[in-house]
Amino acid sequence: MVMAILLVIGGINVFSASYVMAQDMFGSGWYYLLRYFIFAGLGLLAMNIVRRVGYKIWLHKYLLWGAFLVVFVMLLVVDLLDVSTKGASRWLYLGPFSVQPSEFAKLIIIMLAAKYLGRMLRRGERVSFLAPGDHRLVLAATVTYAALVYKQPDLGTAAIICGLMFGVYMIAGIPGWQVLLVLGGGSLGAVIATLASPYRLERVKVWFDPWLDQAGAGYQMVQSLLAIGSGNLIGTHWGHGAGKFFYLPEAHTDFAFAIFCQENGFFGAMLLMLLFGLLGYAFCTITCSTRDKQGFLLAGGVTFLIVGQAVANMAMVCGILPVIGVPLIFISYGGSSMMLSMAAIGLLLSVYDEEVRRAETDALPPEERRDGLRVVRNERWRT
């Protein structure tokens, strides 16, 4: 229900934020809205297919590593083709559509971590970065993906890929000193990577004070803050936000939340945050109630992916975080992000379905419990 409401709100916001640019570029103000609902439809289809198949099948070794290899090749092709858009090579172009392989990489890393760390927890082994075992394949896969994404260049997404892997390790129970060590080392690495790149260093300066260069590097952040501030309590009302009239770059993608705040005001922004909070609460409830270790880690990783990126985007648009190119799921226009996020939600829902079946099987009399899963399914079919 919450997801359906967010899809409706997102469609309205994408149309409002994009129709001026769409009319100017494509001769139709409906261009991005139609594509938004195409991707939403494909995402719903992917979500239902993933849910019906079940997470245990998707976590099968050969299927999972096959998917890893496909995404690896896609990232490699992106780096080799070097087709730049706005200074970065991040997309594969397939006719009128484009695919961002790094979005797929996020979900693959979560699934790999859930599979191998869940196996360790099931065996009663203590999870640690230094422990021997197959979980080191997860570390190697993460480094491989992050390196390819970093080369695009996209430090923000590379950091998210590493952060998602680290998040799954944390909920799996790595020692506290390793958490502190990784956080310290990651912070130091981010500083070094920022100092090594002039444009990243410029972004950090702009983050601290965008008005230092409000007509240059700080222009986007200044326009975002002006759009948010002009919304006041109740907003300028739908369709009347000025930011989309070529003032705010990426008004319908990464900075769609700024247009939403301008047109719906403080109360609208609070309502949107409440909806994402309810979504996060539902995801956390599923995660905490899951007894299967792989399902528990998978649900936790998907929660990090969906809710974590939503929080990061809103913080970025408000100037709390530097610009890192994270979309706001459902509210921003982005085909790859939406489809992958909805497929990830399908995985989380399959974890919930499996837990419900397990609870129903446990409730059966002992003489029926041997084939309990089939009995439960047959009863559902008859009703």
Side-chain angles (χ1 to χ4, degrees), residues 54-366:
Y55 75 96
K56 290 187 176 180
I57 294 178
W58 292 113
L59 292 185
H60 188 277
K61 179 172 65 174
Y62 295 117
L63 187 60
L64 191 51
W65 283 107
F68 169 84
L69 185 59
V70 170
V71 176
F72 170 79
V73 171
M74 291 170 68
L75 288 170
L76 197 61
V77 169
V78 168
D79 288 347
L80 292 176
L81 290 180
D82 195 26
V83 178
S84 296
T85 302
K86 299 177 183 178
S89 304
R90 299 173 187 172
W91 290 269
L92 280 177
Y93 293 92
L94 307 171
F97 296 98
S98 59
V99 177
Q100 193 170 2
S102 58
E103 293 295 328
F104 294 80
K106 297 174 185 176
L107 185 55
I108 295 297
I109 290 301
I110 290 172
M111 295 170 70
L112 283 170
K115 177 178 179 60
Y116 289 102
L117 298 184
R119 182 188 294 174
M120 292 180 69
L121 292 178
R122 189 184 298 161
R123 293 171 178 171
E125 300 173 5
R126 187 177 183 185
V127 176
S128 169
F129 284 116
L130 303 179
D134 292 340
H135 77 97
R136 292 181 176 179
L137 294 171
V138 179
L139 301 177
T142 303
V143 171
T144 301
Y145 276 171
L148 290 171
V149 172
Y150 177 78
K151 188 180 181 297
Q152 291 176 356
D154 191 354
L155 176 61
T157 303
I160 289 171
I161 290 171
C162 294
L164 289 170
M165 177 272 296
F166 179 58
V168 178
Y169 267 86
M170 279 202 302
I171 60 178
I174 58 173
W177 67 269
Q178 291 187 8
V179 174
L180 296 176
L181 185 63
V182 171
L183 290 176
S187 300
L188 180 61
V191 170
I192 294 173
T194 299
L195 294 176
S197 173
Y199 93 91
R200 292 194 191 104
L201 186 59
E202 191 66 28
R203 276 192 174 187
V204 172
K205 291 179 180 178
V206 166
W207 171 41
F208 283 114
D209 189 358
W211 276 268
L212 285 174
D213 188 12
Q214 56 183 303
Y219 178 79
Q220 187 174 39
M221 184 52 64
V222 167
Q223 292 301 318
S224 176
L225 295 176
L226 289 175
I228 294 171
S230 64
N232 295 314
L233 289 178
I234 61 172
T236 59
H237 306 304
W238 181 77
H240 292 275
K244 59 176 171 281
F245 289 93
F246 304 105
Y247 289 105
L248 176 61
E250 310 296 337
H252 65 299
T253 55
D254 293 349
F255 280 78
F257 181 61
I259 300 299
F260 182 87
C261 291
Q262 187 174 41
E263 296 186 348
N264 297 278
F266 174 80
F267 293 130
M270 289 298 103
L271 175 61
L272 188 63
M273 291 181 186
L274 174 63
L275 289 172
F276 276 108
L278 291 174
L279 198 67
Y281 175 77
F283 289 175
C284 288
T285 300
I286 293 173
T287 302
C288 294
S289 63
T290 301
R291 288 172 287 177
D292 177 67
K293 301 303 182 183
Q294 290 182 336
F296 166 72
L297 295 179
L298 181 61
V302 171
T303 302
F304 280 134
L305 175 66
I306 305 298
V307 181
Q309 286 197 141
V311 172
N313 176 274
M314 289 185 279
M316 173 192 77
V317 171
C318 295
I320 300 172
L321 292 177
V323 178
I324 52 177
V326 178
L328 181 56
I329 177 63
F330 304 126
I331 306 303
S332 301
Y333 173 80
S336 298
S337 174
M338 177 175 287
M339 289 191 296
L340 262 293
S341 296
M342 294 178 80
I345 292 172
L347 281 173
L348 186 141
L349 291 175
S350 76
V351 172
Y352 170 76
D353 292 340
E354 183 66 28
E355 191 62 27
V356 169
R357 283 194 292 267
R358 185 174 178 178
E360 291 175 344
T361 303
D362 290 345
L364 291 171

